[in-house]
Amino acid sequence: MPPGDLDRALCGLEFPTDANVIVGLERADDAGVYKISDDLALIQTVDFFTPVVDDPYRFGQIAAANALSDIYAMGGVPKIAMNLVGFPLKEMDIGILRKIIQGGLDKIKEADVVLVGGHSVEDSELKYGLSVTGFVHPRKVLTKKDLRPGDRMVITKPLGTGVINTAIKGGLASQEVIERVTQMMTALNREAAEVMQNYPVHACTDITGFGLLGHLAEMVVGSGCSMQIEAVKIPVLPEAIGYAGMGLMPAGAFKNKEFRSGMVEFSSSVDPVVQDILFDPQTSGGLLICVDKESADDLVSNLIIKGVVDAVIIGEVINEPKEKIVVK
Ligand code: CO
Ligand code: CO
Ligand code: CO
């Protein structure tokens, strides 16, 4: 969803809260967090969207991996899920929905989560996703805030899914590329989240619709800090560079760029195509982990050992200029 477009409906409304709300609506974080006791808090999130690939089973997997990701991004463990379905019953075979739900179910099982319910409505457009509840220790909640100068920024999946999905819709992507990007989008952020539990992580989010720079901007706003990012270190699917060079950027990338360009300073050495890809909206993207600098190399080595092979340090938190992202 382009930043702000529908969120504007929330402006000026008053939301109820209580003393146990650790992360609520005013924080605009990956999920809400509610303290139940001194050593247990609930994390709640919900995510659903229209198909991003043609294969219904794979679409189910992607939507579920994406919904589960917000629990991982908060430093939590997902436990319970519910299906959300909108389905055009008069135009589509119910067998398609069955395959979508099977895809989601297989990811839910892989995450050791149980499905306890759901809700379906007849809809003109197919939509699927999950609401997910997870657990976290109240003092181990990872929000987007709490950056400290010197911290390193680690990314766990390559960028470029938005560009490649645009190429797929245009019928331009090869079967090989479709396979690669689908595998990336169906991959859970579970391993990354489990590894990061053992490190002094100060902040975390997952990269989705706002693109890398949009999500970095959310971390920087209000922090008093800035970030310096090295463009050459950022993993990008090679095919995405090719397609982006052909102008196959999704509309969301330009919206993201327009919204946040005031916060971003690109050095002239950064290829304009790469600049655009840094705003590319991701579907079921990786985690963005802000970790103490002493532990950053060790975190990345361990992520790679545990199969998160694209994990890499892309930059660091700096003091000046205030609340900007400098891309070198
Ligand atoms: Co998120
Ligand atoms: Co989300
Ligand atoms: Co977080």
Side-chain angles (χ1 to χ4, degrees):
M1 184 60 57
D5 278 9
L6 291 178
D7 288 344
R8 279 203 310 258
L10 303 178
C11 281
L13 299 180
E14 244 176 73
F15 307 109
T17 189
D18 75 39
N20 293 316
V21 173
I22 298 176
V23 179
L25 254 177
E26 72 292 339
R27 297 281 295 268
D29 217 298
D30 293 298
V33 185
Y34 191 86
K35 185 169 135 182
I36 293 189
S37 68
D38 284 345
D39 51 16
L40 184 66
L42 273 189
I43 311 174
Q44 288 208 295
T45 183
V46 56
D47 245 305
F48 61 99
F49 45 60
T50 55
V52 286
V53 289
D54 287 336
D55 181 332
Y57 176 79
R58 299 289 229 157
F59 168 55
Q61 287 187 306
I62 293 166
N66 178 72
L68 289 159
S69 178
D70 280 326
I71 302 283
Y72 296 127
M74 298 306 285
V77 178
K79 290 285 176 194
I80 310 161
M82 294 213 228
N83 280 333
L84 290 158
V85 176
F87 193 74
L89 199 53
K90 289 182 186 73
E91 290 111 70
M92 266 185 209
D93 188 288
I94 194 80
I96 294 174
L97 180 57
R98 194 180 169 79
K99 283 182 186 152
I100 292 170
I101 291 174
Q102 182 66 60
L105 204 50
D106 285 351
K107 279 289 147 184
I108 288 168
K109 284 187 207 154
E110 184 189 329
D112 288 325
V113 167
V114 286
L115 190 73
V116 293
H119 188 70
S120 318
V121 293
E122 209 177 323
D123 197 339
S124 56
E125 203 174 10
L126 171 56
K127 299 177 189 86
Y128 169 70
L130 300 173
S131 79
V132 189
T133 301
F135 296 161
V136 67
H137 191 287
R139 279 192 305 273
K140 293 198 143 186
V141 177
L142 295 174
T143 67
K144 294 176 183 175
K145 306 292 168 185
D146 210 12
L147 314 179
R148 300 167 205 182
D151 284 353
R152 299 298 191 258
M153 301 304 300
V154 173
I155 190 178
T156 66
K157 284 186 190 178
L159 302 180
T161 61
V163 178
I164 291 179
N165 287 337
T166 307
I168 293 174
K169 284 192 185 116
L172 291 158
S174 68
Q175 203 47 48
E176 236 180 298
V177 175
I178 295 174
E179 192 51 40
R180 170 94 204 270
V181 78
T182 304
Q183 259 174 26
M184 250 181 58
M185 293 187 292
T186 58
L188 292 179
N189 283 325
R190 178 185 184 163
E191 284 72 24
E194 285 176 359
V195 173
M196 98 178 153
Q197 296 278 344
N198 303 316
Y199 289 88
V201 171
H202 297 151
C204 181
T205 191
D206 57 344
I207 305 174
T208 53
F210 299 155
L212 172 66
L213 287 173
H215 289 281
L216 286 176
E218 287 196 321
M219 295 177 106
V220 161
V221 166
S223 71
C225 299
S226 287
M227 283 181 198
Q228 181 161 292
I229 302 298
E230 286 179 69
V232 292
K233 297 223 172 127
I234 300 169
V236 179
L237 292 166
E239 297 84 358
I241 308 252
Y243 294 136
M246 291 159 60
L248 287 171
M249 291 302 297
F254 297 108
K255 281 223 163 199
N256 289 339
K257 191 173 179 177
E258 195 184 297
F259 183 55
R260 291 299 191 186
S261 60
M263 284 183 66
V264 182
E265 290 173 8
F266 286 108
S267 97
S268 57
S269 59
V270 183
D271 183 334
V273 170
V274 173
Q275 294 186 20
D276 285 348
I277 286 178
L278 302 190
F279 286 107
D280 182 41
Q282 302 299 287
T283 301
S284 187
L287 295 184
L288 192 52
I289 304 168
C290 172
V291 63
D292 196 275
K293 72 169 178 213
E294 309 292 342
S295 304
D297 288 325
D298 199 52
L299 168 64
V300 169
S301 314
N302 254 306
L303 284 168
I304 293 169
I305 290 168
K306 293 281 157 58
V308 187
V309 294
D310 293 296
V312 64
I313 298 171
I314 59 164
E316 65 184 289
V317 178
I318 54 175
N319 262 317
E320 302 283 342
K322 284 288 171 242
E323 299 189 4
K324 295 266 189 216
I325 300 158
V326 180
V327 187
K328 291 201 305 178

